[in-house]
Amino acid sequence: AQSVTQLGSHVSVSEGALVLLRCNYSSSVPPYLFWYVQYPNQGLQLLLKYTTGATLVKGINGFEAEFKKSETSFHLTKPSAHMSDAAEYFCAVSDPQSGGGADGLTFGKGTHLIIQP
Amino acid sequence: NAGVTQTPKFRVLKTGQSMTLLCAQDMNHEYMYWYRQDPGMGLRLIHYSVGEGTTAKGEVPDGYNVSRLKKQNFLLGLESAAPSQTSVYFCASRNSFMNTEAFFGQGTRLTVV
């Protein structure tokens, strides 16, 4: 079974600083990878995804992530944090060998991003 | 664009009561899911459905039942609520292509007292 590890349940950065949220997955076969953002009292919204092709993926709100097969990682970055980026971020994977991913996405436990003024 | 709609948004139940959460999607998606979200636990899959009339168990199915009588609707039932089922419940849908993302509803905050 797939598993997803997000290092750091809470990450705090200063406004304008680099944001780095870490995600590692366990799989012998590269899965499909997703980052979601959840603002308070809201549902999850897709930030970006990697399926095939270019390993550096750009998403909404200035975020990007790089798929590194050798490190089984899919870390999320943003060059300059903004106060509006404060939210919960979830990394998720879908196993392409698992019935076409019908059994859903496997989520990490989430990272709460805090932006210091 | 409605996307995925969950009702109700909030509910307080007494232990032993029953209720049904409704999820409706208007994107003609084949797959639908119910997750629960608890602090520090991420999202855990309760049940899912790959099409009308089909359901399957996820990671944490005990105490819940589901039905998918119509393609656009996925119901989650609690027959006898317990305090351990206090959580935020999310419904999601997805089309049947492997590389697609799931779309989420706004969530239902359930408290069992």
Side-chain angles (χ1 to χ4, degrees):
Chain A
Q2 294 272 4
S3 68
V4 179
T5 302
Q6 291 184 238
L7 284 178
S9 58
H10 291 77
V11 170
S12 180
V13 302
S14 299
E15 191 174 17
L18 171 71
V19 175
L20 171 61
L21 303 182
R22 300 178 187 272
C23 173
N24 289 88
Y25 64 89
S26 67
S27 174
S28 59
V29 176
Y32 300 127
L33 297 153
F34 307 84
W35 275 101
Y36 283 85
V37 61
Q38 183 183 31
Y39 298 104
N41 301 314
Q42 294 191 22
L44 278 71
Q45 177 185 0
L46 182 72
L47 271 178
L48 48 79
K49 67 178 181 182
Y50 170 80
T51 54
T52 59
T55 57
L56 182 62
V57 181
K58 295 187 184 299
I60 62 172
N61 301 339
F63 284 93
E64 62 183 33
E66 186 172 10
F67 167 61
K68 291 187 177 181
K69 182 179 177 180
S70 61
E71 299 178 7
T72 60
S73 70
F74 191 55
H75 301 331
L76 181 70
T77 61
K78 182 174 180 178
S80 178
H82 191 272
M83 295 300 291
S84 61
D85 295 327
E88 191 85 13
Y89 291 81
F90 292 95
C91 181
V93 303
S94 174
D95 183 354
Q97 293 192 322
S98 173
D103 55 350
L105 304 181
T106 299
F107 286 84
K109 294 190 186 321
T111 297
H112 185 65
L113 179 62
I114 301 162
I115 310 297
Q116 305 280 5
Chain B
N1 295 332
V4 179
T5 302
Q6 292 182 230
T7 52
K9 291 183 170 49
F10 302 94
R11 185 73 186 269
V12 177
L13 284 181
K14 293 183 178 179
T15 297
Q17 285 185 319
S18 64
M19 77 164 295
T20 300
L21 283 67
L22 172 63
C23 176
Q25 53 96 1
D26 62 2
M27 296 172 281
N28 202 36
H29 285 167
E30 290 294 329
Y31 301 162
M32 296 188 74
Y33 309 90
W34 277 106
Y35 290 89
R36 60 177 288 173
Q37 182 181 23
D38 302 290
M41 301 292 289
L43 278 79
R44 293 180 292 171
L45 184 65
I46 304 171
H47 285 280
Y48 65 99
S49 168
V50 299
E52 183 178 319
T54 72
T55 63
K57 294 180 179 180
E59 179 186 355
V60 289
D62 294 343
Y64 305 95
N65 56 77
V66 288
S67 63
R68 183 119 181 252
L69 299 179
K70 294 183 179 180
K71 185 177 183 179
Q72 64 268 34
N73 295 336
F74 195 30
L75 279 63
L76 178 71
L78 287 73
E79 290 188 347
S80 180
S84 60
Q85 295 178 303
T86 293
S87 187
V88 181
Y89 293 86
F90 286 99
C91 176
S93 71
R94 187 182 189 195
N95 72 32
S96 56
F97 295 104
M98 289 187 292
N99 60 352
T100 57
E101 66 271 27
F103 292 81
F104 284 80
Q106 293 296 295
T108 296
R109 185 173 296 275
L110 175 66
T111 302
V112 183
V113 297

